[in-house]
Amino acid sequence: MTNLLITGGAGFIGSNFVRYWCKKYPRDRVVVLDALTYAGNQQNLSTLEGQNSFRFVRGDIRDRVLLDTLLETETIDAIVHFAAESHVDRSIISPDAFLQTNIFGTYTLLEACRHARNPISRFLHVSTDEVYGSLGPEDPPCAETTPYSPNSPYAASKASSDHLVRAYHQTYGLPTLITNSSNNYGPYQFPEKLIPLMCVNILLGKPLPVYGDGQNVRDWLFVADHCRALDCVLTRGQPGETYNIGGDNQVTNIDLVTMLCQLMDQLVPDLPIQPSQRAIAFVRDRPGHDRRYALNSRKIREELGWTPGVSLEEGLGETARWYRDRRDWWQPLLEGSGGAGGAGGELYLIFNF
């Protein structure tokens, strides 16, 4: 790769990947396209500003004219597509934005690539395990051949975009790749997702809301491990293929929250509520809440040689320390000072009591 276009590169996973790629491949040119909606934060890329090999463009992936211009003027030869609306709770309340960005946005990007003057050598579409739907307690982990069964507007919109990406390879020969990963966590994650929400609320002495009985199971993947996996797929993956990326860390939500409480109690001796586990509050379950996710990652392990390298305990410790030390990053989101990229300021939390 020489010239990469990374959509959604100011978001959580996207910005971690951009920093990873620029460090590992300093000779490559990286162009980030991000609309800077609520979860996009240009500060996530501040360490790269001013470098000749890096360019940030604020824009929408539904803007075909902008896409055509970038693909030509930057001589883009590879795309990593992160840009998406991704929070299930938001999709339940207002699904329209998810259909617009995740489906129509992906279609627009695919069309721009199909008609680009400079052939695209790789189009990597980053997706989610939620497209496979919910598993029972004894069901085997989902493989790449598992039928899709999405249960939320978010999951349905990502499943739709996956199908579009696959169709553009089958119909037009576009060199597409798809990855479906388990739940990511780590630094720079917008604090509406479970782990950063718990970290922030523990630090602020707020309730720690847990849906239903807390027994929903998720497989957790540290974002740095995900970045390495995407590197493997982008550089060595076979066009037209899908690769599952799992962390092999299945844990119930209540056990995860309890682990975070214990970590924060050790890291911050003067917490507002001590022990912080006293702040756990079970709340009414959300509609269509999938009971369990798990991924079979044998394909990427055997074909591309990737394995996760960060244990859940190590990753949670690093993440908790980051949120403890980076109030300067998350506090503006709470205060509405435009820290989320100037997209309205109000921090949207279903659980903000």
Side-chain angles (χ1 to χ4, degrees), residues 34-60:
D34 199 295
L36 292 183
T37 56
Y38 72 96
N41 190 337
Q42 196 170 346
Q43 293 180 11
N44 295 351
L45 303 170
S46 60
T47 58
L48 302 173
E49 294 291 347
Q51 296 185 16
N52 292 332
S53 60
F54 173 80
R55 179 187 175 191
F56 178 83
V57 178
R58 183 170 185 173
D60 196 313

Short mmCIF file of all heavy atoms in Angstrom, two decimals, residues 34-60:
data_model
loop_
_atom_site.label_atom_id
_atom_site.label_comp_id
_atom_site.label_asym_id
_atom_site.label_seq_id
_atom_site.Cartn_x
_atom_site.Cartn_y
_atom_site.Cartn_z
N ASP A 34 -13.60 11.93 7.64
CA ASP A 34 -14.50 11.74 8.77
C ASP A 34 -15.47 12.91 8.83
O ASP A 34 -15.07 14.07 8.65
CB ASP A 34 -13.70 11.66 10.08
CG ASP A 34 -14.50 11.01 11.21
OD1 ASP A 34 -15.52 11.62 11.62
OD2 ASP A 34 -14.12 9.93 11.66
N ALA A 35 -16.74 12.62 9.09
CA ALA A 35 -17.76 13.66 9.18
C ALA A 35 -17.76 14.36 10.52
O ALA A 35 -18.45 15.37 10.70
CB ALA A 35 -19.15 13.05 8.91
N LEU A 36 -17.00 13.85 11.49
CA LEU A 36 -16.94 14.41 12.85
C LEU A 36 -18.34 14.57 13.45
O LEU A 36 -18.71 15.63 13.95
CB LEU A 36 -16.20 15.75 12.84
CG LEU A 36 -14.70 15.69 12.54
CD1 LEU A 36 -14.08 17.08 12.66
CD2 LEU A 36 -13.98 14.71 13.46
N THR A 37 -19.10 13.49 13.39
CA THR A 37 -20.35 13.46 14.15
C THR A 37 -20.00 13.26 15.62
O THR A 37 -18.83 13.35 16.00
CB THR A 37 -21.25 12.33 13.64
OG1 THR A 37 -20.54 11.08 13.70
CG2 THR A 37 -21.68 12.58 12.20
N TYR A 38 -20.97 12.95 16.46
CA TYR A 38 -20.76 12.96 17.91
C TYR A 38 -19.58 12.11 18.36
O TYR A 38 -18.88 12.45 19.31
CB TYR A 38 -22.03 12.50 18.63
CG TYR A 38 -22.30 11.02 18.49
CD1 TYR A 38 -21.89 10.13 19.48
CD2 TYR A 38 -22.94 10.52 17.37
CE1 TYR A 38 -22.12 8.77 19.35
CE2 TYR A 38 -23.17 9.16 17.23
CZ TYR A 38 -22.76 8.29 18.23
OH TYR A 38 -22.98 6.95 18.10
N ALA A 39 -19.32 10.98 17.71
CA ALA A 39 -18.27 10.07 18.18
C ALA A 39 -16.94 10.29 17.48
O ALA A 39 -15.96 9.63 17.81
CB ALA A 39 -18.71 8.62 17.99
N GLY A 40 -16.88 11.19 16.51
CA GLY A 40 -15.63 11.49 15.84
C GLY A 40 -14.95 12.67 16.52
O GLY A 40 -15.58 13.68 16.82
N ASN A 41 -13.67 12.55 16.75
CA ASN A 41 -12.94 13.59 17.48
C ASN A 41 -11.58 13.78 16.82
O ASN A 41 -10.72 12.91 16.87
CB ASN A 41 -12.77 13.17 18.95
CG ASN A 41 -12.25 14.30 19.82
OD1 ASN A 41 -11.63 15.24 19.33
ND2 ASN A 41 -12.51 14.21 21.11
N GLN A 42 -11.40 14.94 16.21
CA GLN A 42 -10.16 15.19 15.49
C GLN A 42 -8.95 15.21 16.42
O GLN A 42 -7.82 14.98 16.00
CB GLN A 42 -10.25 16.52 14.72
CG GLN A 42 -9.18 16.68 13.65
CD GLN A 42 -9.44 17.87 12.75
OE1 GLN A 42 -10.54 18.43 12.74
NE2 GLN A 42 -8.45 18.26 11.98
N GLN A 43 -9.18 15.47 17.71
CA GLN A 43 -8.08 15.43 18.68
C GLN A 43 -7.46 14.03 18.78
O GLN A 43 -6.30 13.90 19.19
CB GLN A 43 -8.59 15.87 20.05
CG GLN A 43 -9.00 17.33 20.13
CD GLN A 43 -9.49 17.71 21.52
OE1 GLN A 43 -9.33 16.94 22.48
NE2 GLN A 43 -10.08 18.89 21.64
N ASN A 44 -8.21 13.01 18.40
CA ASN A 44 -7.67 11.66 18.42
C ASN A 44 -6.47 11.50 17.49
O ASN A 44 -5.69 10.56 17.63
CB ASN A 44 -8.75 10.64 18.02
CG ASN A 44 -9.89 10.57 19.01
OD1 ASN A 44 -9.83 11.14 20.10
ND2 ASN A 44 -10.94 9.85 18.65
N LEU A 45 -6.36 12.42 16.53
CA LEU A 45 -5.29 12.35 15.53
C LEU A 45 -4.31 13.51 15.65
O LEU A 45 -3.52 13.76 14.74
CB LEU A 45 -5.90 12.34 14.13
CG LEU A 45 -6.92 11.23 13.85
CD1 LEU A 45 -7.63 11.46 12.53
CD2 LEU A 45 -6.25 9.86 13.86
N SER A 46 -4.34 14.19 16.78
CA SER A 46 -3.54 15.41 16.93
C SER A 46 -2.04 15.16 16.79
O SER A 46 -1.31 16.04 16.33
CB SER A 46 -3.83 16.07 18.28
OG SER A 46 -3.51 15.19 19.35
N THR A 47 -1.58 13.97 17.16
CA THR A 47 -0.15 13.68 17.08
C THR A 47 0.34 13.56 15.64
O THR A 47 1.55 13.58 15.39
CB THR A 47 0.19 12.38 17.83
OG1 THR A 47 -0.57 11.30 17.26
CG2 THR A 47 -0.13 12.51 19.31
N LEU A 48 -0.59 13.45 14.68
CA LEU A 48 -0.22 13.29 13.28
C LEU A 48 -0.33 14.58 12.49
O LEU A 48 0.16 14.66 11.34
CB LEU A 48 -1.10 12.22 12.62
CG LEU A 48 -1.06 10.84 13.26
CD1 LEU A 48 -2.09 9.93 12.61
CD2 LEU A 48 0.33 10.24 13.15
N GLU A 49 -0.98 15.59 13.07
CA GLU A 49 -1.16 16.85 12.35
C GLU A 49 0.18 17.46 12.00
O GLU A 49 1.13 17.46 12.78
CB GLU A 49 -1.98 17.82 13.21
CG GLU A 49 -3.41 17.40 13.45
CD GLU A 49 -4.28 17.44 12.20
OE1 GLU A 49 -3.84 18.04 11.19
OE2 GLU A 49 -5.39 16.88 12.22
N GLY A 50 0.26 17.96 10.77
CA GLY A 50 1.48 18.60 10.32
C GLY A 50 2.44 17.68 9.60
O GLY A 50 3.40 18.15 8.97
N GLN A 51 2.20 16.37 9.66
CA GLN A 51 3.06 15.44 8.94
C GLN A 51 2.70 15.43 7.46
O GLN A 51 1.52 15.41 7.10
CB GLN A 51 2.93 14.03 9.53
CG GLN A 51 3.39 13.91 10.97
CD GLN A 51 3.37 12.47 11.47
OE1 GLN A 51 3.28 11.54 10.68
NE2 GLN A 51 3.44 12.30 12.78
N ASN A 52 3.71 15.44 6.62
CA ASN A 52 3.48 15.50 5.17
C ASN A 52 2.74 14.27 4.65
O ASN A 52 2.04 14.35 3.63
CB ASN A 52 4.81 15.65 4.43
CG ASN A 52 5.46 16.99 4.68
OD1 ASN A 52 4.78 17.99 4.95
ND2 ASN A 52 6.78 17.04 4.60
N SER A 53 2.89 13.15 5.34
CA SER A 53 2.28 11.91 4.87
C SER A 53 0.85 11.72 5.38
O SER A 53 0.23 10.69 5.12
CB SER A 53 3.12 10.71 5.31
OG SER A 53 3.21 10.67 6.74
N PHE A 54 0.32 12.72 6.08
CA PHE A 54 -1.01 12.60 6.68
C PHE A 54 -1.87 13.79 6.27
O PHE A 54 -1.42 14.93 6.24
CB PHE A 54 -0.91 12.56 8.21
CG PHE A 54 -2.23 12.61 8.92
CD1 PHE A 54 -3.01 11.48 9.04
CD2 PHE A 54 -2.71 13.80 9.44
CE1 PHE A 54 -4.25 11.52 9.68
CE2 PHE A 54 -3.93 13.86 10.09
CZ PHE A 54 -4.71 12.72 10.21
N ARG A 55 -3.14 13.49 5.96
CA ARG A 55 -4.10 14.55 5.66
C ARG A 55 -5.44 14.20 6.26
O ARG A 55 -5.90 13.05 6.17
CB ARG A 55 -4.26 14.73 4.14
CG ARG A 55 -5.27 15.81 3.76
CD ARG A 55 -5.53 15.83 2.26
NE ARG A 55 -6.57 16.79 1.91
CZ ARG A 55 -7.16 16.88 0.72
NH1 ARG A 55 -6.77 16.05 -0.26
NH2 ARG A 55 -8.11 17.77 0.49
N PHE A 56 -6.07 15.18 6.90
CA PHE A 56 -7.42 15.00 7.44
C PHE A 56 -8.40 15.79 6.60
O PHE A 56 -8.17 16.97 6.30
CB PHE A 56 -7.52 15.45 8.89
CG PHE A 56 -8.91 15.33 9.44
CD1 PHE A 56 -9.36 14.12 9.94
CD2 PHE A 56 -9.77 16.41 9.43
CE1 PHE A 56 -10.65 13.98 10.43
CE2 PHE A 56 -11.07 16.29 9.91
CZ PHE A 56 -11.51 15.06 10.42
N VAL A 57 -9.51 15.16 6.23
CA VAL A 57 -10.57 15.81 5.45
C VAL A 57 -11.88 15.61 6.19
O VAL A 57 -12.27 14.47 6.47
CB VAL A 57 -10.67 15.23 4.03
CG1 VAL A 57 -11.81 15.89 3.26
CG2 VAL A 57 -9.35 15.39 3.28
N ARG A 58 -12.55 16.70 6.50
CA ARG A 58 -13.87 16.59 7.11
C ARG A 58 -14.92 16.49 6.01
O ARG A 58 -15.03 17.37 5.16
CB ARG A 58 -14.16 17.79 8.01
CG ARG A 58 -15.50 17.67 8.72
CD ARG A 58 -15.68 18.74 9.78
NE ARG A 58 -16.91 18.54 10.52
CZ ARG A 58 -17.27 19.24 11.60
NH1 ARG A 58 -16.45 20.18 12.08
NH2 ARG A 58 -18.40 18.98 12.23
N GLY A 59 -15.65 15.38 6.01
CA GLY A 59 -16.64 15.19 4.96
C GLY A 59 -17.43 13.91 5.18
O GLY A 59 -17.11 13.09 6.04
N ASP A 60 -18.47 13.75 4.37
CA ASP A 60 -19.44 12.66 4.50
C ASP A 60 -19.18 11.62 3.41
O ASP A 60 -18.98 11.98 2.24
CB ASP A 60 -20.85 13.23 4.38
CG ASP A 60 -21.92 12.28 4.87
OD1 ASP A 60 -21.89 11.09 4.49
OD2 ASP A 60 -22.80 12.73 5.63
#
